[in-house]
Amino acid sequence: MARPRKPLLSRDRIVEAAGALVDAEGLEAVSTRRLAAALGVSGPSLYNHFRTKDEILEAVADAVSARVDLSMLEPGDGRDWRTALHDWAHSYRAALADHPHIVPVLARGPGRRPAGLRLADAVFGAMTRAGWPPAQATRIGALMRYFILGSAVASFAGGFVDDRGAYDPADYPHLGQAHLLADRQREIDESAFETGLRALLDGLCVQYEALGPH
């Protein structure tokens, strides 16, 4: 009986394997040797699809950007600009929360990555259609990116250890309950994100009203 053929090597297979490695072990774990072994191919065969390891990581980052829902930013969606930004921010953060190790690559900016550029274009287009001046729409896109990426870099609650003895009241009089934060990490981080997002959008609404009739 003939042996089953291995799936043909493709960009998508390489990106999927690299993404799984990044998720499991971080950016430093990715090498052409390890990727080739995971895919059952020789190392040089990867270079038929990507010139460098950095190109592979850029493609992994773009695959994460492609998971962000942009429908709320499209013409005719019906949501006002504030609601659209709110809903988009949550979709963006959810994508990053599923793949936190790739955030440093995304933080470099969209560069030439197609999905990253579509994301930036969608935000800018939605803001200018809503009446924001182009320069301010650019700043809003940057501001939202800083906030969302920053929220995904690390967990605030996860920065505290589950050890009451680590927070001596004599040294830290206001951290008596800090050892309890680690058990509520997801809840605290999500509520902190929503609190910050609402404050940010409220501030933008004040600026928007100051622009005058739209």
Side-chain angles (χ1 to χ4, degrees), residues 12-180:
D12 288 345
R13 283 193 66 213
I14 295 170
V15 170
E16 182 179 359
L21 194 54
V22 171
D23 287 345
E25 301 183 40
L27 293 172
E28 296 76 13
V30 178
S31 68
T32 53
R33 178 184 61 81
R34 290 198 63 182
L35 278 177
L39 292 163
V41 300
S42 63
S45 64
L46 299 178
Y47 295 111
N48 293 325
H49 301 276
F50 294 96
R51 292 177 297 177
T52 65
K53 184 184 82 171
D54 281 347
E55 280 194 1
I56 296 174
L57 292 176
E58 288 284 325
V60 172
D62 210 39
V64 172
S65 293
R67 295 184 174 97
V68 180
D69 183 10
L70 302 178
S71 63
M72 68 287 293
L73 301 171
E74 295 175 355
D77 173 78
R79 276 169 273 199
D80 61 82
W81 67 267
R82 188 190 193 282
T83 304
L85 277 184
H86 176 275
D87 295 349
W88 166 75
H90 273 280
S91 177
Y92 197 175
R93 184 178 182 275
L96 299 185
D98 288 340
H99 308 280
H101 291 154
I102 200 65
V103 171
V105 180
L106 286 164
R108 299 172 191 166
R112 297 176 182 272
R113 298 193 301 265
L117 290 170
R118 283 193 292 272
L119 189 153
D121 182 73
V123 174
F124 181 83
M127 294 305 98
T128 52
R129 284 194 304 275
W132 286 99
Q136 186 70 342
T138 298
R139 290 190 284 269
I140 290 171
L143 169 64
M144 296 298 294
R145 181 170 165 272
Y146 299 154
F147 176 71
I148 297 165
L149 288 172
S151 75
V153 169
S155 163
F156 172 81
F160 295 90
V161 297
D162 185 14
D163 178 6
R164 181 189 293 269
Y167 309 106
D168 189 330
D171 296 320
Y172 316 107
H174 305 296
L175 295 181
Q177 302 296 309
H179 65 287
L180 302 175

